Amino acid sequence: MIASAPPTLPALQPALPIAIQSLVAGMLVALALLSILAYRPLRDGLLSRAGVFGLLAAAAWISFSDIASSLLPASLLPLVHPTSLLLAGICLVVWERVTAELLAASPGAQGLARSRRLLALATLGIASVAVLPWNPIHTSAERLLSLLAPLLALLTLAAGWRAHREGSGSAPGLVAAALALLACCAALGAQSAGWISRAASVTILQFALLVLVLALGGAMLNRMRDLRMATERAQAAQLVTAAHQAQELESLVAQRNAELSERLRDLSDTRRSAELANQSLQRALEQVEQAASTDRLTGAWNRRRFEEAVLPEIALANRRREHLALLMFDLDHFKRVNDTFGHGAGDTVLAATAQTVREHLRASDSLVRWGGEEFLVMAPATRLEGALGLAEKLRASMAAIEFPGVGSVTMSLGVSEYALGEQLEAWIERTDQALYRAKAEGRNRVAVAAQPEGPAVEPQTRRFLFEVIWEESFASGIALIDAQHKRLFSLASALMSTLAADRPLPEVSLRLETLLAHTAQHFHDEEALLREAQYPSLAEHAQTHATLLNQAWQLQAEVTAGRLDFGRLVSFLAMDLVKGHILTEDRAYFSHLVTALSPERIPPAGA
């Protein structure tokens, strides 16, 4: 007698409509696309494997559910079931790899990693055998699959639970996905044993796969978030490293610049001109950076900028007998402001003082921060009477201001007019004595400096024999060229005034080096414009530039070595650079440059 088949459970409702079954396949594909698209920016192998798992799971679901039978012809339907088994086996292998990487940071989960890997490989092998068309092998393989697949799901569940207890952020989603996979295995096993109908199995699988998609998708999103945070931390670390490398590179560049300057004289003329431009400009910019011409707090000139401007004014006053006035003032009891209200309040008072003073100055007047709360005002073409009027305006305006939280802060002023032939240091000292007297007489007042004792001192002839003054008739119409020419005039005039005033050689050397740096930059920019305008005499003009730079370099070397030839240096500045080149040879290209370059191609003065 043939044994009767084991009793089966009552049949469930038929499987859900094809559209709803297709929804599960679509969500699996969406999970795959999410992981694959995230892989490209994040470059995480786990995401690519999760994408493969989603696609394989979607294919396995399509082959097992009613979707395949509704789409494929009847002749292919016998292949659907073996294909679904093979796809399921491959899915389980990929599943094991995905979950292994999600649990890689959990020591507890790692204890089950080897068993899970062996089970996954065994499942794949058995699924491959189940494809064979021999019924006894097919049946045995399918039954083994119904045992191994749930065991793999249980091991994954145990590993996920261990990771959850260790605080893994991906563990909760992985546990939910493992439970869903276990439900899928149970449904398939129950159908294979004949306990439930295929329709019930499809329905259970569908809902279990929905849970699996949502849980695994959550785990993938958590993974993406962790990767993004790790990437941001890595980028921040790279920025810090790059900053350190930049500092090291700056030090290396400074060292290499010093080495290159020693070898510069051995290069060819063309190479020497280019290197001279770079090296001279580098050294000059370093000097300018160390002694910036403008005080950052008040916007006033500093001492160096004042000396650069006042020496040509003194030379002009000596030559043309023009008036030149100087005001020196400082704030009364300013230390008390700092000590009582703090340096922040003191800085506010200084900045407001500078702003108040500027409101009463002409465009030709200059405000200088001499030190601390002490300032100078240089007023060209101003008699002593006019300087006294200006000083009184400044004193009254300052006394009328009420600073929030501080109150009124007054100023004391010393005023003087330049005496012909007077040295700059003596003039400043005379003005300072007047300021000292204003403070001694009670503060918040103006005192006039005494005139120099003895007969008027006639200025030395060489103080005004050599002078270069910019005039608007020298302009070319090209803003960049005119601004650079004007700057070269100013630097050359300041240098010659320094020579005439018998200033120390280091100061002469620094001013000459600054002039050379600006000259080299001007030659570079000028040649670039002439090249763009296709100036026919560019080669000859560039050769003149190289010759002038060579001469300047030799003069700089002599000054640095302490061998100042006053006549050669003045002749180079006045005759070779200014009159011979800027006012003669440069004028030859003015009309060509304006005609050849359209307005939009002409660079502005600050380019």
Side-chain angles (χ1 to χ4, degrees), residues 529-567:
L529 281 177
L530 293 177
R531 189 177 300 107
E532 184 178 358
Q534 298 181 348
Y535 183 54
S537 302
L538 173 59
E540 295 82 356
H541 203 81
Q543 181 58 46
T544 302
H545 286 170
T547 301
L548 288 172
L549 286 176
N550 285 334
Q551 293 176 3
W553 178 260
Q554 294 172 5
L555 289 170
Q556 173 65 26
E558 292 176 4
V559 172
T560 303
R563 302 191 304 271
L564 172 62
D565 188 328
F566 178 87

Side-chain angles (χ1 to χ4, degrees), residues 143-447:
R143 289 178 180 176
L144 280 174
L145 280 175
S146 66
L147 294 175
L148 296 180
L151 184 56
L152 177 61
L154 285 171
L155 286 176
T156 305
L157 181 61
W161 180 252
R162 290 183 181 183
H164 175 64
R165 294 180 62 183
E166 293 169 359
S168 172
S170 302
L174 188 57
V175 168
L179 287 172
L181 180 60
L182 189 60
C184 292
C185 294
L188 290 172
Q191 178 190 342
S192 176
W195 297 342
I196 61 175
S197 66
R198 185 178 183 281
S201 175
V202 169
T203 303
I204 295 172
L205 278 172
Q206 180 162 271
F207 286 106
L209 285 174
L210 284 174
V211 174
L212 187 145
V213 168
L214 295 175
L216 192 57
M220 290 298 102
L221 290 175
N222 186 67
R223 174 79 171 191
M224 295 174 198
R225 183 198 63 192
D226 292 343
L227 287 173
R228 282 196 299 271
M229 293 177 62
T231 301
E232 291 173 358
R233 288 193 295 269
Q235 289 175 346
Q238 289 176 352
L239 289 176
V240 173
T241 302
H244 289 306
Q245 291 176 345
Q247 293 177 355
E248 294 176 357
L249 184 59
E250 288 178 1
S251 301
L252 183 60
V253 168
Q255 179 182 355
R256 291 293 182 266
N257 283 344
E259 294 174 357
L260 287 174
S261 63
E262 296 177 359
R263 299 163 49 192
L264 191 61
R265 299 179 187 180
D266 299 330
L267 301 176
S268 63
D269 291 342
T270 304
R271 181 74 175 273
R272 185 182 302 119
S273 298
E275 292 297 333
L276 174 63
N278 292 333
Q279 294 297 328
S280 298
L281 186 59
Q282 177 70 21
R283 289 193 297 270
L285 290 177
E286 288 175 357
Q287 294 290 342
V288 171
E289 186 176 357
Q290 294 174 0
S293 63
T294 302
D295 176 58
R296 292 185 179 180
L297 175 63
T298 62
W301 287 356
N302 64 6
R303 289 194 178 203
R304 181 181 175 189
R305 182 70 182 90
F306 167 70
E307 291 178 359
E308 181 180 305
V310 73
L311 291 177
E313 292 291 344
I314 289 176
L316 197 63
N318 284 322
R319 179 179 179 181
R320 300 182 180 178
R321 302 299 195 268
E322 292 189 355
H323 298 280
L324 179 62
L326 186 67
L327 287 71
M328 179 179 286
F329 66 87
D330 75 356
L331 303 182
D332 300 326
H333 303 296
F334 184 73
K335 184 177 184 300
R336 187 184 304 167
V337 174
N338 279 335
D339 294 343
T340 306
F341 303 102
H343 289 279
D347 289 346
T348 301
V349 171
L350 288 174
T353 299
Q355 180 60 34
T356 300
V357 170
R358 284 195 192 89
E359 293 173 358
H360 296 280
L361 298 184
R362 303 167 300 176
S364 58
D365 298 336
S366 304
L367 176 64
V368 183
R369 187 175 182 183
W370 195 242
E373 70 274 20
E374 197 169 43
F375 293 82
L376 295 178
V377 174
M378 180 179 67
T382 303
R383 295 178 179 272
L384 182 61
E385 295 78 7
L388 282 171
L390 173 60
E392 185 58 35
K393 286 182 183 179
L394 298 181
R395 186 203 63 79
S397 299
M398 192 65 187
I401 298 177
E402 286 289 328
F403 294 97
V406 175
S408 176
V409 178
T410 61
M411 66 166 60
S412 301
L413 302 96
V415 181
S416 68
E417 183 177 353
Y418 175 72
L420 295 179
E422 188 176 17
Q423 294 289 334
L424 174 61
E425 292 82 357
W427 184 27
I428 294 176
E429 175 63 24
R430 188 161 55 89
T431 313
D432 184 55
Q433 289 299 322
L435 171 61
Y436 181 80
R437 192 169 67 256
K439 285 186 171 292
E441 292 174 358
R443 295 183 171 83
N444 191 22
R445 64 189 61 224
V446 179

Side-chain angles (χ1 to χ4, degrees), residues 26-56:
M27 293 186 68
L28 286 167
V29 173
L31 171 64
L33 292 177
L34 171 66
S35 301
I36 291 172
L37 291 176
Y39 165 74
R40 183 160 190 171
L42 297 177
R43 291 296 176 186
D44 182 45
L46 173 60
L47 295 176
S48 65
R49 280 183 278 276
V52 173
F53 172 77
L55 294 177
L56 288 172

